[in-house]
Amino acid sequence: MSELKVIISGGGTGGHIFPAVSIANAIREINPEAKILFVGANGRMEMQRVPAAGYEIVGLPIRGLYRPLWKPANIGVLFDFLKSKRMVKKTLREFQPQVAVGVGGYASSATLNAAYDLGIPCLIQEQNSFAGLTNKSLSKKAQKICVAYEGMERFFPKDRILLTGNPVRQGLQNPNLTKTESTAIFNFEPDRPTLLLIGGSLGARTMNESVLDNLDLIRKSPIQFIWQTGGYYSKTIQEELAKHGKPDNLYVTDFISRMDMAYKAADLVISRAGASSISELCLLGKPSILVPSPNVAEDHQTHNAMALVRKDAAILVRDADARKDLIPMAIKSVMDKELLAKLGANAYKMAFKDSARVIAEEVIKLATKQ
């Protein structure tokens, strides 16, 4: 085969985009001449994030189904899907990839259905422990299904499943980083217990409210808090802090560009239970309190969190209980060194060390089988 061409499709959230870009980077490491084209949904974050990572992307006018599924608005969604499938078929004929990769999200459904119709081998990557609708519907058309959790034969044909873990953002594992220099960028002391609270790129309302409701408790505690609010909530939070006074031991930012330093500084991480976040926590062996988002399809974040909780690798706080329980529990937990050591060690046991490369090798195998 003279030239490797790969289509990668999906997105909607960072949880789909980070793995997709990581797989693309791993393919390029193995085959620097590979041509890789992404397909995403117009108006979704992949249309900015993928070009920023150095890859070309084609946008489709596709959108998600409304719940419940019998809503009349889904007629328009179906027409957009059919239009998107026609558009992506044209792209596939022009680009002529040897393989198509789907990572979940609206666009991957149209792309992999079109690829299957054209006889292009397909691989899907499922990040969650509870498979999404898109990947479940595509599983019969995919030659290979890369998963991050055991027991996924509940959703997919067993003979096509490969347990690979989830690819994570490059650069998080930095062996040269010290806790001293990492805490210094937040103007914190290296010897004091440090909590990192992250609610994803857009933020998490309940988690943010948990902090605002407990400012006095934070102020009196010996703990240092790094709080990523997310851009959506930043203005409101700044107004609240101006009104009530920001504790000196609370570092507030809407976005953390050096996540490697934030993780290194943290003794305990409070996070949503998205698949990418969990994979990062496991790979870094970080003890965590997980607050699953209630606003996701099939409640898959709770399933993700429970996979860790059952192995004593994380603590679960339900979203409904977070405003009352999250900060008090976090302060108590971060002071318990024995607990932190146990959670971190058990999380690390669940990590997959080289997921992106393993998946990339499978993609290349599929491409060269023709």
Side-chain angles (χ1 to χ4, degrees), residues 21-100:
V21 170
S22 294
I23 293 166
N25 291 343
I27 292 169
R28 282 265 175 88
E29 281 176 16
I30 299 167
N31 185 337
E33 303 303 314
K35 287 189 163 59
I36 300 170
L37 178 65
F38 280 76
V39 179
N42 286 332
R44 305 293 288 185
M45 67 166 69
E46 59 264 27
M47 300 308 293
Q48 284 76 46
R49 295 283 178 88
V50 169
Y55 294 98
E56 186 182 346
I57 187 166
V58 174
L60 301 177
I62 196 164
R63 51 204 170 106
L65 290 164
Y66 294 96
R67 309 295 171 106
L69 295 177
W70 57 83
K71 274 194 172 183
N74 281 325
I75 296 169
V77 174
L78 177 61
F79 279 116
D80 283 344
F81 172 81
L82 295 172
K83 182 182 178 183
S84 295
K85 192 175 170 185
R86 286 195 302 273
M87 287 172 66
V88 82
K89 271 190 177 177
K90 182 173 182 288
T91 298
L92 292 168
R93 289 190 181 105
E94 290 171 355
F95 186 64
Q96 296 189 320
Q98 291 98 355
V99 61

Side-chain angles (χ1 to χ4, degrees), residues 139-150:
S139 62
K140 293 180 179 65
K141 299 176 180 180
Q143 278 87 340
K144 193 65 73 174
I145 302 159
C146 297
V147 301
Y149 294 91
E150 294 170 353

Side-chain angles (χ1 to χ4, degrees), residues 211-220 227 236-252:
V211 177
L212 291 173
D213 287 357
N214 287 277
L215 287 176
D216 285 340
L217 186 60
I218 290 168
R219 204 186 315 272
K220 291 170 188 169
W227 179 22
T236 307
I237 286 166
Q238 292 300 335
E239 289 169 357
E240 286 297 307
L241 290 173
K243 198 186 302 178
H244 300 288
K246 184 185 83 66
D248 293 336
N249 56 337
L250 180 66
Y251 178 94
V252 187

Side-chain angles (χ1 to χ4, degrees), residues 9 45 79 94 100 126 202 217 221 244 264 291 298 300 329 331 345 359 362:
S9 185
M45 67 166 69
F79 279 116
E94 290 171 355
E126 173 57 60
L202 296 176
L217 186 60
S221 79
H244 300 288
K264 188 71 177 181
V291 187
E298 289 94 28
H300 67 244
M329 180 178 285
I331 291 172
I359 296 168
E362 290 298 319

Side-chain angles (χ1 to χ4, degrees), residues 204-367:
R205 188 184 68 178
T206 309
M207 290 165 66
N208 287 337
E209 287 172 347
S210 302
V211 177
L212 291 173
D213 287 357
N214 287 277
L215 287 176
D216 285 340
L217 186 60
I218 290 168
R219 204 186 315 272
K220 291 170 188 169
S221 79
I223 316 301
Q224 300 172 141
F225 288 79
I226 302 166
W227 179 22
Q228 181 192 285
T229 64
Y232 185 79
Y233 299 100
S234 180
K235 186 171 181 287
T236 307
I237 286 166
Q238 292 300 335
E239 289 169 357
E240 286 297 307
L241 290 173
K243 198 186 302 178
H244 300 288
K246 184 185 83 66
D248 293 336
N249 56 337
L250 180 66
Y251 178 94
V252 187
T253 181
D254 62 337
F255 178 74
I256 299 171
S257 57
R258 289 295 304 269
M259 278 304 299
D260 56 339
M261 287 187 150
Y263 278 131
K264 188 71 177 181
D267 297 293
L268 177 67
V269 180
I270 302 170
S271 174
R272 285 300 198 193
S276 288
S277 299
I278 284 182
S279 296
E280 291 174 359
L281 292 166
C282 289
L283 188 65
L284 298 170
K286 281 290 170 186
S288 62
I289 297 177
L290 300 173
V291 187
S293 170
N295 306 313
V296 292
E298 289 94 28
D299 194 27
H300 67 244
Q301 286 204 4
T302 297
H303 293 280
N304 291 348
M306 288 308 299
L308 271 69
V309 171
R310 279 192 288 267
K311 295 193 176 183
D312 280 335
I315 297 166
L316 175 74
V317 172
R318 300 200 178 274
D319 190 82
D321 302 325
R323 289 182 69 166
K324 178 170 63 77
D325 297 340
L326 180 59
I327 298 303
M329 180 178 285
I331 291 172
K332 181 183 176 186
S333 300
V334 79
M335 302 298 289
D336 187 339
K337 290 186 178 178
E338 194 175 314
L339 173 67
L340 296 183
K342 179 184 76 172
L343 293 174
N346 288 338
Y348 189 69
K349 285 177 193 170
M350 297 179 70
F352 291 85
K353 310 298 188 295
D354 207 10
S355 299
R357 188 173 182 94
V358 173
I359 296 168
E361 286 169 352
E362 290 298 319
V363 172
I364 292 168
K365 274 187 212 168
L366 275 182

